[in-house]
């Protein structure tokens, strides 16, 4: 029998419903959370992501600003814009869409974003707070992974979670968040020896490697929860995850599809972070 499919679209809609209600309540009090998105250059995928973020703001009643800058924008001009947004009172969240053109130092730009407006959760202070377990704005995709697992009613505490991938955006923070939820976490990467021996012990397997359909049924313990973060564009234009969904669902427990699994959660978590940042900034004002 095939495994149950985790419906990220539905979970995401449920969270967005609650956010919409909260923003409506705040709007009535004369307060509107504001998100600024900065896009530099013409990257096609980035343009789609930015449009989706703009749409989410519109749908949920947030104020939004999108700054579309040319590919040739200098680092100092971009830093000047970030500085302006840091000081702007109607903006509570700032997201600079990555990747940036090669002549711009991404780290310098991320470091320049005010910690309390860093709704992507990439600023070193937010990352450090995540590591030591202090309150912080969490990176959106990893936070979405945890939320998806929890809202599907899956217990994380005491489970063995294996994460494949150790990037700063997904693998590392997901591992830390799973640990925070009291899972015992094993991390795998491209140099891991005998990876299948480890993944076959996983009660929860999170895959974030960027290789289409890489993980097949032979990596999976029967009944394991499978969270596929991968988003790979195939030659035929279709989107594929890092997990071979068709073969894995025959042995696994609950499994996320691609599309419709982790993907929809990322922007939803961005909206949640923006609301959290907005309320904190309002309370401090
Ligand atoms: P990344 O920065 O390229 O990192 C990939 C990680 O996977 C690295 O740690 C790498 O190991 C590891 N890896 C690569 N090949 C491997 C293999 N054969 N065996 C074991 N480990 C391997 O990628 P990322 O930014 O984390 O993204 C991963 C995937 O998630 C991509 O498909 C991306 O599009 C997707 N993604 C989706 C969302 C979303 O919203 N759903 C958000 C972000 C990313 P090394 O460190 O040893 O090189």
């Amino acid at each position: 029998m095939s495994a149950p499919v985790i419906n990220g679209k539905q979970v995401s809609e449920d969270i967005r419903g609650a956010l919409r209600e909260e923003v409506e309540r705040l709007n009535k009090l004369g307060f509107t959370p504001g998100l600024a998105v900065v896009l530099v250059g013409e990257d096609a995928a980035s343009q789609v992501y930015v449009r989706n973020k703009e749409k989410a703001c519109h749908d949920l009643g947030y104020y939004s600003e999108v700054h579309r800058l040319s590919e040739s924008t200098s680092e100092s001009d971009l830093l000047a814009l970030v500085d302006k947004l840091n000081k702007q009172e109607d903006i509570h969240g700032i997201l600079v869409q990555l990747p940036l053109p090669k002549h711009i130092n991404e780290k310098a730009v991320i470091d320049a974003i005010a910690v309390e407006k860093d709704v992507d959760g990439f600023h070193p202070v937010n990352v450090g707070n995540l590591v030591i377990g202090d309150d912080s704005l969490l990176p959106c995709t990893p936070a979405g992974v945890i939320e998806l697992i929890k809202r599907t009613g899956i217990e994380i505490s005491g489970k063995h979670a294996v994460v494949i991938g150790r990037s700063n955006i997904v693998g590392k923070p997901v591992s830390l968040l799973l640990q925070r939820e009291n899972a015992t976490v094993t991390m795998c990467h491209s140099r891991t020896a005998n990876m299948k021996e480890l993944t076959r012990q996983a009660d929860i397997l999170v895959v974030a490697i960027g290789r289409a359909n890489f993980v097949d049924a032979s990596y999976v313990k029967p009944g394991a929860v499978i969270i596929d973060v991968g988003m790979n564009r195939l030659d035929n234009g279709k989107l594929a995850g890092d997990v071979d969904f068709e073969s894995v669902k025959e042995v696994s427990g609950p499994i996320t599809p691609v599309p419709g699994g982790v993907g929809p959660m990322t922007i939803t978590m961005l909206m949640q972070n923006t609301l959290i940042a907005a309320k904190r900034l309002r309370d401090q004002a």
Side-chain angles (χ1 to χ4, degrees):
M1 207 178 69
S2 280
V5 176
I6 299 174
N7 188 341
K9 226 171 148 190
Q10 185 58 55
V11 173
S12 175
E13 264 315 308
D14 293 347
I15 298 170
R16 287 189 190 202
L19 291 174
R20 196 177 288 115
E21 275 179 24
E22 177 63 358
V23 172
E24 257 172 38
R25 189 185 70 80
L26 292 170
N27 284 346
K28 283 189 190 134
L29 298 172
F31 181 75
T32 304
L35 174 68
V37 179
V38 181
L39 172 64
V40 186
E42 308 294 327
D43 182 76
S46 293
Q47 293 194 32
V48 174
Y49 297 146
V50 168
R51 267 202 304 278
N52 289 341
K53 286 163 189 170
E54 202 174 7
K55 184 174 177 310
C57 282
H58 181 77
D59 290 349
L60 301 185
Y62 291 58
Y63 169 67
S64 78
E65 279 182 9
V66 178
H67 297 263
R68 292 185 167 82
L69 309 180
S70 79
E71 182 86 21
S72 61
T73 300
S74 68
E75 186 175 312
S76 59
D77 281 354
L78 179 55
L79 289 171
L81 173 61
V82 169
D83 187 48
K84 177 175 158 287
L85 295 169
N86 282 341
K87 293 175 181 142
Q88 205 171 308
E89 283 187 3
D90 55 356
I91 291 298
H92 309 99
I94 301 170
L95 182 144
V96 178
Q97 187 67 45
L98 303 177
L100 289 168
K102 296 227 169 348
H103 65 276
I104 298 179
N105 178 351
E106 272 184 10
K107 183 170 161 42
V109 175
I110 293 169
D111 289 2
I113 296 172
V115 175
E116 59 279 10
K117 294 190 180 186
D118 167 41
V119 283
D120 243 347
F122 293 162
H123 191 286
V125 171
N126 279 320
V127 176
N129 281 333
L130 169 61
V131 173
I132 60 176
D134 269 7
D135 204 19
S136 63
L137 289 166
L138 300 176
C140 300
T141 301
V145 166
I146 301 299
E147 198 66 32
L148 199 52
I149 299 173
K150 283 183 165 178
R151 284 184 180 246
T152 310
I154 296 161
E155 180 70 40
I156 299 177
S157 180
K159 297 283 171 60
H160 182 193
V162 176
V163 178
I164 318 183
R166 57 174 167 182
S167 72
N168 289 334
I169 325 180
V170 189
K172 279 182 203 161
V174 156
S175 305
L176 288 163
L177 289 173
L178 285 164
Q179 202 180 124
R180 190 189 273 193
E181 296 295 330
N182 297 316
T184 302
V185 183
T186 301
M187 287 181 78
C188 300
H189 45 76
S190 67
R191 310 290 174 87
T192 301
N194 304 324
M195 194 162 75
K196 278 187 195 179
E197 274 177 27
L198 299 167
T199 61
R200 280 204 208 112
Q201 295 173 35
D203 302 311
I204 299 171
L205 180 62
V206 180
V207 190
I209 55 180
R211 288 167 154 247
N213 303 319
F214 180 89
V215 168
D216 63 22
S218 67
Y219 285 79
V220 174
K221 174 166 99 173
V225 176
I226 308 293
I227 307 293
D228 185 357
V229 185
M231 286 209 315
N232 309 289
R233 191 64 67 185
L234 301 177
D235 291 341
N236 63 11
K238 285 195 173 160
L239 204 60
D242 291 342
V243 174
D244 178 19
F245 183 82
E246 292 304 324
S247 81
V248 170
K249 77 178 185 349
E250 297 305 320
V251 293
S252 72
I255 177 169
T256 60
V258 177
V262 174
M265 295 297 289
T266 298
I267 293 185
T268 299
M269 291 297 106
L270 172 70
M271 294 295 112
Q272 182 160 290
N273 270 352
T274 303
L275 182 59
I276 292 169
K279 284 168 139 184
R280 283 185 191 157
L281 285 160
R282 182 196 57 170
D283 292 347
Q284 282 163 19

